[in-house]
Amino acid sequence: MSNVPDSASELGSQASNAIEATGKPKLRRALTTPMVVLYGLGVTIGAGIYVLVGTTAAEAGQFAPIAFLMAALVVAFTAFSYAELSTRYPVSAGEAAYVEAGFKRGWLATIVGLLVAASGMVSASAVAIGAGSYLHEFWAVSEAFLTACVVIVMGLIALWGITQSVTIAAVITVIEISGLVFVMYWGFSAPDPKGVSILETLTPSELGHWVGIGSASVLAFFAFVGFEDMANVAEEVKDPKATMPKAIFWTLILATVLYIGTTIAVLVAVPIPTLSASSAPLSLVFVEAGDRTKQAFGLIAVVATVNGVLIQMIMASRVIYGLAERNHLPAILAKVSPSTQTPIVATLAVTAMILLLSLALPIEALAERTSQIVLVVFILVNLALIRLKLNGQRVEGTVHAPLVVPILGVVTSAGLLMISIA
């Protein structure tokens, strides 16, 4: 097993010069800051708000917006850690590289990388089920068949090329953000709202309320799964040291604002019992709208959920590729297509696993497992940064989080993990 270099510049130099040394095709550095932000927003928004508002409301009731805010606070500490580490080590399979640098244990890095890839595949499976549910409103065929079609088509796009894949994802992300703005406008302007008032969503007053909010925050946390995926395309970013911190923070801020606004709008417009029972919750806002409005939003929702599948596929395949490239997995998984410069074998393997999971498990179980896997990874990544800081390893030209930030990242992630297990 190879070790991750202590110097980010050394690692970056190795990545850029590897093609000359080995003669093998490598990943292409083509992504800019706007593309990476849209990449992060695409997987974050598509993976959460379009699918899980209903199940979050089932746990927290009218206080679901606070569950999203709690989840955002947990994520914020770890986001700062990722901002520093992604500039120290701008490579595929980023979390594995961070943990190997911090703990000097190749086997632990392999486990972390596999956990990250697993979270992406499980997350994509959950979102694919949501996409199939939205598509079912247009075509009266089996939801399982529609889910399988979504996975296969997104796998083909992921094989096409990183620039093409992320450009398609960026266009779709703009569409899905427009869809959330549409939901907020329609929900807040409904002439006969069936839900609660805005004030009622923000004023929990009893201990029981906070128990439900804490439980729901685990599901809400799933909605933020995505910002960390940006670390796994750092090897394909033109200027990772300048781009990665900005992209991570903008993704988290914009996603939080959109989530809270959308959740409040849905709770105002739709009764909680109705909302809690739906796997396509945002469409309920338009129940009394005209057919054209319903169809327009239905198409946006399909596009949004499909986007989440595509981006998680890209992330998971890059993690598998990165592990194989550093000799932690079989070398065949590091095979890159000379024409598309995408990890062809890793992408096919990831697509097959997502297809299997999406047809075998329910969406709630998939979402909860994803959250728990990601929380374990967050704990290990924060611990790795703590060890690097305590060892005095400092790299110039990178973002530097105060030591208290990764410590709080460990504490908050562990706390949310305990809530999810209890």
Side-chain angles (χ1 to χ4, degrees):
M1 292 186 180
S2 59
N3 290 325
V4 172
D6 290 335
S7 165
S9 60
E10 179 187 347
L11 190 151
S13 176
Q14 286 182 2
S16 62
N17 294 331
I19 186 166
E20 288 81 2
T22 65
K24 296 189 299 181
K26 307 298 291 183
L27 302 182
R28 177 183 294 138
R29 286 199 180 275
L31 303 182
T32 61
T33 299
M35 292 178 73
V36 180
V37 172
L38 288 171
Y39 173 92
L41 282 174
V43 67
T44 304
I45 294 171
I49 200 73
Y50 275 86
V51 176
L52 286 175
V53 170
T55 51
T56 304
E59 295 284 345
Q62 67 203 55
F63 305 116
I66 298 177
F68 280 102
L69 181 59
M70 284 183 62
L73 292 174
V74 170
V75 168
F77 297 113
T78 301
F80 210 137
S81 294
Y82 269 85
E84 175 170 344
L85 288 164
S86 64
T87 56
R88 282 179 178 249
Y89 308 107
V91 294
S92 297
E95 289 96 339
Y98 311 156
V99 169
E100 190 170 5
F103 290 93
K104 306 298 183 186
R105 297 289 184 273
W107 63 267
L108 184 57
T110 302
I111 290 173
V112 168
L114 291 174
L115 284 174
V116 172
S119 74
M121 290 184 283
V122 175
S123 172
S125 302
V127 179
I129 293 172
S133 180
Y134 280 112
L135 277 169
H136 186 66
E137 297 180 8
F138 293 91
W139 291 286
V141 297
S142 165
E143 288 190 26
F145 173 77
L146 293 171
T147 298
C149 288
V150 166
V151 174
I152 292 169
V153 171
M154 292 304 103
L156 292 173
I157 293 175
L159 285 168
W160 188 10
I162 187 63
T163 303
Q164 295 88 340
S165 298
V166 175
T167 298
I168 290 171
V171 171
I172 294 174
T173 298
V174 173
I175 294 172
E176 64 187 352
I177 291 173
S178 301
L180 296 184
V181 173
F182 188 29
V183 169
M184 285 187 271
Y185 168 76
W186 202 270
F188 288 131
S189 63
D192 183 26
K194 300 293 194 300
V196 298
S197 69
I198 295 176
L199 184 61
E200 288 176 311
T201 67
L202 302 173
T203 54
S205 58
E206 299 177 8
L207 179 60
H209 294 159
W210 287 104
V211 172
I213 291 169
S215 178
S217 64
V218 177
L219 285 172
F221 175 85
F222 174 80
F224 289 95
V225 170
F227 87 86
E228 78 286 355
D229 291 354
M230 291 181 284
N232 293 300
V233 295
E235 197 168 320
E236 294 162 281
V237 174
K238 287 183 178 179
D239 185 3
K241 286 188 177 182
T243 293
M244 295 309 299
K246 290 186 291 185
I248 288 171
F249 293 132
W250 274 114
T251 296
L252 180 58
I253 292 167
L254 292 173
T256 302
V257 171
L258 288 167
Y259 283 173
I260 292 175
T262 301
T263 306
I264 292 174
V266 174
L267 287 167
V268 167
V270 182
I272 290 175
T274 304
L275 184 64
S276 301
S278 176
S279 59
L282 300 193
S283 62
L284 298 175
V285 174
F286 303 98
V287 166
E288 297 182 0
D291 288 342
R292 288 187 178 181
T293 300
K294 291 179 184 177
Q295 291 172 357
F297 179 75
L299 287 172
I300 291 173
V302 169
V303 167
T305 49
V306 159
N307 199 29
V309 178
L310 172 60
I311 298 179
Q312 289 285 19
M313 272 184 180
I314 295 171
M315 180 279 289
S317 63
R318 269 52 179 186
V319 173
I320 297 297
Y321 160 83
L323 289 172
E325 179 71 6
R326 295 197 289 279
N327 302 318
H328 295 310
L329 289 177
I332 185 66
L333 292 168
K335 181 177 176 58
V336 174
S337 167
S339 57
T340 65
Q341 290 185 258
T342 56
I344 184 169
V345 177
T347 302
L348 289 172
V350 165
T351 302
M353 184 57 68
I354 291 171
L355 183 61
L356 176 64
L357 290 171
S358 63
L359 298 177
L361 295 174
I363 188 170
E364 293 84 358
L366 289 166
E368 190 170 2
R369 294 294 87 76
T370 301
S371 296
Q372 291 169 346
I373 292 170
V374 173
L375 284 166
V376 170
V377 172
F378 279 7
I379 292 169
L380 290 171
V381 166
N382 281 299
L383 287 173
L385 182 56
I386 291 170
R387 287 176 64 92
L388 287 169
K389 288 181 175 296
L390 292 177
N391 290 338
Q393 294 187 14
R394 185 180 180 90
V395 179
E396 294 303 320
T398 63
V399 171
H400 294 286
L403 180 60
V404 68
V405 169
I407 292 173
L408 290 172
V410 171
V411 171
T412 54
S413 297
L416 201 58
L417 181 61
M418 290 301 102
I419 291 173
S420 72
I421 295 172

